[in-house]
């Protein structure tokens, strides 16, 4: 049966009925507001603004968070909505005045998403409020009715969000992070047991490894909806992104250590103690992210790390044990990343860093208030290369041109032109072209159906009766069936509404078609002519500079250890500045659509490479002070060779980032056995302490190369953990 097939298709596309629940809430609120204002109060103005206020806030706004949070955002936004409607109503006296207001408001509203990309979902609704009010007739005396209709709609919609079929709260990013921390901690515990127990459980360790990778994978921003991903400029969202990067590195270090477990376990191994306390701290930091969780205590981790570092410094006079030194170096690097994760968890829950020794570089922003952070974010994007600036100007110019065209052509329903422009225009030309076809095809189909119906039916009561049906079809069924259906059913809905507000017969469908085609043409021309590449170009540009800065910092750090250069602080500062720009441009890029058939850069891995460099340099130089390997030519030659290969890897990743295609296979990870073969010829009568310095620095470079390999463009191998080469 066709009906059964359609219901099955809808059920598969909306398994939790979230879309249909939202459509039902919108339908009920819109129907109550429209009927009450149009037929109860007898006011077309109240009905128009009440209905379109419901549609703008309920359908065009993509608000984040659970139902109470969305309701709170709706109510708090009312003053901004009033201001936009008032501005549009007062500027509607002139086409050029309204277009100038559209240019300014369009830019300000769009650029406001710089501080929090999740607000972009509310931006379309804000623009619609101004657009609707800025068209004739110029009737400033009706402003109270306009504001009253919108206020009634938004208040009822906010109440419906909480009281009527509220959506189940999806798993938040903080909860995902907490779950992933628990999975990683379990893998750390298993790896620690494998280092000390006589009969390690290899099958159990492999199962926990796979589970840890499966739980860390969903932390990628690309695998989270924009409304829930931590993409804002504020301290808590920044901390969550740093937490995710640190947890990936904890898992990667644990994986390296697991690969280097000796055939015979060694009791009382320092690496095992670091793993156990790292597991406890990771688990506690993850639980602190859950509402009601206790803040993590770093005292235990710091004590064990301090004893391990003291043991490293007390190794004078003992024969060098390269494999053990390698494992200790890996475990200390793991502990450093656990500490980054724990400090980030404190910030993510709103706590301050008072009395906490934060890793240098990554958390400097935490010393500033939210307004300062947002001000820096806005200021950094008022630059010629900013993708945020480009997309905001593009949208503002397109809407202003559409407003001028609608005014000069004296179109009866000119706001449909701007609505079509807003619907079609995206942040890149590719996305704009993708949105054009369904918009035009759906509008044509909807106009044909609407015109035919209005030729046959000329009774307003019929359209009043079918209004709820068209609402549920447009915002529920249409959204599930696809963009063409959604646009067609939305066209039918507008016909049903205006058949009651301003009856024009079949010419209403004709006007809708002409307006949408004009708006689509303007949107496409703006998308193609004005900075058509979107955020991807800005992101790639920032990533190349970021990778170059990271390579410079690594090279200067090694030269400092060899006694040939001062502290690399200036290079680290440059990495941090580039990291902020890269992080911000990636957050916008995350909100765009991308070709699924094109090879994509693993941007989370690119960001993680810098997250590993910035705190890693400070920890490395604390245990291996500048000049500790001076006067050992063989060590200098080995390390400079490793740095040269690592810089080539940075250059290769930068090349892939620039062109979006693979430049070759990823290098294989370096194990402690490989490192032993590299270091063995240098041992001789060298001081064991110098050998430990050499092993830790060389191991740090190898870990950097492994981390960088994750950023390479490649095809996933079936059966391997996501993102693990």
């Amino acid at each position: 049966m066709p009906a059964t097939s359609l219901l099955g298709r809808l059920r598969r596309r909306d398994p939790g009925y979230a879309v249909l629940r939202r459509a039902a809430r919108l339908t009920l609120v819109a129907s109550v507001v429209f009927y009450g204002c149009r037929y109860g109060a007898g006011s077309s103005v109240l009905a128009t603004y009440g209905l379109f206020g419901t549609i703008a806030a309920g359908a065009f706004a993509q608000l984040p968070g659970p139902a109470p949070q969305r309701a709170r955002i709706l109510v708090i936004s009312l003053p901004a909505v009033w201001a936009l409607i008032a501005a549009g109503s007062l500027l509607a006296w002139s086409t050029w005045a309204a277009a100038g207001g559209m240019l300014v408001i369009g830019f300000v509203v769009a650029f406001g998403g710089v501080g929090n990309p999740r607000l972009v979902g509310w931006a379309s609704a804000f623009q619609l409020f101004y657009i609707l009010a800025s068209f004739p007739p110029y009737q400033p005396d009706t402003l109270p009715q306009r504001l009253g209709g919108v206020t009634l709609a938004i208040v009822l919609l906010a109440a419906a969000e909480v009281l009527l079929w509220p959506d189940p709260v999806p798993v938040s990013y903080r909860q995902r992070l907490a779950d992933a921390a628990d999975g990683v901690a379990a893998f750390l515990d298993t790896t620690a047991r494998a280092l000390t127990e006589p009969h390690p459980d290899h099958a159990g360790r492999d199962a926990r490894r796979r589970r840890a990778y499966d739980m860390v994978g969903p932390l990628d921003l690309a695998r989270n909806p924009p409304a829930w991903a931590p993409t804002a400029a504020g301290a808590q969202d920044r901390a969550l992104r740093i937490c995710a990067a640190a947890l990936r590195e904890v898992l990667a270090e644990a994986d390296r250590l697991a690969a280097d477990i000796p055939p015979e376990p060694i009791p009382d191994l320092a690496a095992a103690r670091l793993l156990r306390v790292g597991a406890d701290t990771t688990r506690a930091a993850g639980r602190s992210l859950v509402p009601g969780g206790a803040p993590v205590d770093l005292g235990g981790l710091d004590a064990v790390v301090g004893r391990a570092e003291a043991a490293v410094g007390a190794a004078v006079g003992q024969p060098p044990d390269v494999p053990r030194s390698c494992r200790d170096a890996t475990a200390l690097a793991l502990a450093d990343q656990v500490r980054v994760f724990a400090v980030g968890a404190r910030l993510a829950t709103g706590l301050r860093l008072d009395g906490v020794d934060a890793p240098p570089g990554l958390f400097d922003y935490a010393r500033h208030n939210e307004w300062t952070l947002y001000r820096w974010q806005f200021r950094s994007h008022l630059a010629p290369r900013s993708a945020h600036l480009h997309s905001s100007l593009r949208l503002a110019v397109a809407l202003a041109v559409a407003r001028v065209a609608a005014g000069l052509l004296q179109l009866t329903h000119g706001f449909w032109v701007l609505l079509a422009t807003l619907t079609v225009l995206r942040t890149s030309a590719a996305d704009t072209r993708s949105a054009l076809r369904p918009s035009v095809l759906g509008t044509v189909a909807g106009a044909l159906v609407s015109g035919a119906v209005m030729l046959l039916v000329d009774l307003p009561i019929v359209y009043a009766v079918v209004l709820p049906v068209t609402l549920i079809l447009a915002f529920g069924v249409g959204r599930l069936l696809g963009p063409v259906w959604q646009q067609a059913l939305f066209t039918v809905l507008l016909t049903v509404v205006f058949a009651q507000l301003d009856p024009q017969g079949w010419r209403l469908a004709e006007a809708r078609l002409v307006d949408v085609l004009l708006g689509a043409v303007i949107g496409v021309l703006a998308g193609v002519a004005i900075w058509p590449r979107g955020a991807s170009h800005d992101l790639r540009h920032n990533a190349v500079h970021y990778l170059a800065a990271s390579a410079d910092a690594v090279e200067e750090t090694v030269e400092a250890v060899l006694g040939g250069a001062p502290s690399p602080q200036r290079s680290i500062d440059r990495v941090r500045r580039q990291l902020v720009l890269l992080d911000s441009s990636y957050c916008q890029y995350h909100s765009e659509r991308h070709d699924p058939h094109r090879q994509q850069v693993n941007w989370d891995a690119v960001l993680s490479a810098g997250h590993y460099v910035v705190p890693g340099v400070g920890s490395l130089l604390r245990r291996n002070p500048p000049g500790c390997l001076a006067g050992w030519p063989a060590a200098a030659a080995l390390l400079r060779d490793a740095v040269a290969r690592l810089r080539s890897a940075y250059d290769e990743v930068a090349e892939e980032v620039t062109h979006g295609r693979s430049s070759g296979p990823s290098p294989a990870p370096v194990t402690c056995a490989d490192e032993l073969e590299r270091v063995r010829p240098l041992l001789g009568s060298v001081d064991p302490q110098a050998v430990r310095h050499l092993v830790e620095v060389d191991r740090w470079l190898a870990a950097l190369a492994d981390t960088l390999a994750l950023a390479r463009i490649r095809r996933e191998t079936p059966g391997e953990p996501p993102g693990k080469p």
Side-chain angles (χ1 to χ4, degrees), residues 87-369:
S89 300
L90 296 177
L91 292 174
W93 65 273
S94 164
T95 294
W96 294 103
M102 186 74 261
L103 183 66
V104 174
I105 289 173
F107 174 78
V108 170
V109 170
F111 196 67
V114 168
N116 189 344
R118 283 173 287 185
L119 295 180
V120 172
W122 191 222
S124 296
F126 276 163
Q127 287 155 345
L128 283 177
F129 289 125
Y130 174 83
I131 289 170
L132 180 62
S134 68
F135 276 91
Y138 174 62
Q139 296 174 334
D141 56 300
T142 65
L143 183 57
Q145 296 180 63
R146 296 180 176 190
L147 298 180
V150 166
T151 302
L152 176 64
I154 290 181
V155 169
L156 288 180
L157 192 61
E161 286 281 354
V162 178
L163 301 176
L164 298 179
W165 317 293
D167 298 334
V169 180
V171 179
S172 68
Y173 193 87
R174 283 172 58 169
Q175 183 62 56
R176 290 179 187 273
L177 198 55
D179 294 341
D182 191 64
V184 171
F187 180 51
L188 297 184
D189 281 330
T190 304
T191 306
R193 285 195 296 271
L195 283 168
T196 55
E197 292 183 359
H199 302 291
D201 180 10
H202 295 293
R205 188 184 70 203
D206 291 343
R208 287 182 174 85
R209 174 181 181 270
R210 288 192 298 270
R211 178 174 177 268
Y213 274 104
D214 288 342
M215 299 181 78
V216 169
L219 297 179
D220 291 354
L221 290 188
R223 298 175 66 174
N224 288 269
W228 288 87
T231 53
Q236 293 189 25
D237 274 22
R238 289 191 185 198
L240 287 173
R241 297 196 294 273
I242 291 175
C243 282
L247 198 59
R248 293 188 197 96
E249 287 306 318
V250 171
L251 179 56
E253 295 287 8
D255 211 359
R256 295 181 191 111
L257 201 53
D260 292 329
I261 291 176
E264 295 296 330
I266 304 174
D268 195 30
L269 195 63
R273 289 197 300 272
L274 286 168
L275 278 173
R276 291 191 184 98
V277 73
D280 293 340
T281 305
T282 300
R283 192 177 289 110
R287 290 173 179 170
S288 72
L289 293 168
V290 179
V296 60
D297 181 11
L298 295 175
L301 177 67
D302 290 343
V304 174
V305 169
R307 286 197 295 271
E309 291 178 341
V312 169
V316 180
Q318 301 176 11
D321 186 347
V322 174
R324 184 164 188 159
S325 298
C326 185
R327 289 190 292 271
D328 289 348
T330 304
L332 284 169
L334 181 148
D336 291 339
Q337 293 298 323
V338 168
R339 200 173 201 289
V340 170
F341 176 68
V343 173
R346 287 181 63 89
L347 289 175
T349 55
L351 298 177
R352 299 183 63 84
L353 294 182
D354 300 333
V356 177
D357 183 19
L362 283 180
F363 298 104
D364 290 352
Y365 66 87
R367 298 182 177 89
H368 304 278
N369 59 43

Side-chain angles (χ1 to χ4, degrees), residues 489-668:
L489 292 169
F490 185 61
T491 299
V492 173
L493 168 63
L494 290 179
T495 302
V496 169
V497 170
F498 282 94
Q500 302 172 69
L501 294 173
D502 184 21
Q504 297 180 20
W506 64 271
R507 291 193 174 278
L508 187 64
E510 178 190 35
R512 165 73 178 162
L513 179 59
V514 171
D515 292 347
V516 168
L517 291 177
L518 177 60
V521 169
I522 293 172
V524 169
L525 291 177
V528 172
I530 307 176
W531 296 298
R533 288 180 288 189
S536 61
H537 179 67
D538 185 52
L539 175 61
R540 294 176 191 279
H541 170 82
N542 287 333
V544 169
H545 286 271
Y546 166 72
L547 291 168
S550 298
D552 291 341
V554 171
E555 186 172 16
E556 291 183 19
T557 300
V558 172
E559 288 298 325
V561 171
L562 295 174
S567 171
Q569 188 57 47
R570 293 182 62 183
S571 294
I572 290 297
D573 290 341
R574 190 157 65 93
V575 175
R576 284 163 40 207
R577 290 194 299 270
Q578 293 295 332
L579 178 59
V580 170
L581 292 175
L582 177 62
D583 184 61
S584 177
S585 54
Y586 177 45
C587 287
Q588 181 184 346
Y589 176 83
H590 172 59
S591 67
E592 297 180 353
R593 292 179 298 178
H594 311 289
D595 184 359
H597 302 293
R598 183 184 180 188
Q599 289 180 312
Q600 298 293 334
V601 177
N602 186 345
W603 293 111
D604 286 282
V606 173
L607 285 162
S608 293
H611 283 300
Y612 192 85
V613 169
V614 174
V617 168
S619 300
L620 185 81
L621 292 179
R622 187 179 67 250
R623 292 190 290 268
N624 307 274
C628 65
L629 291 176
W632 190 3
L638 185 146
L639 292 178
R640 284 174 179 144
D641 176 67
V643 168
R645 285 185 278 108
L646 185 60
R647 178 171 277 281
S648 296
Y650 274 107
D651 292 341
E652 289 173 2
V653 174
E655 182 75 12
E656 293 183 359
V657 164
T658 301
H659 300 291
R661 58 176 180 269
S662 175
S663 61
S666 300

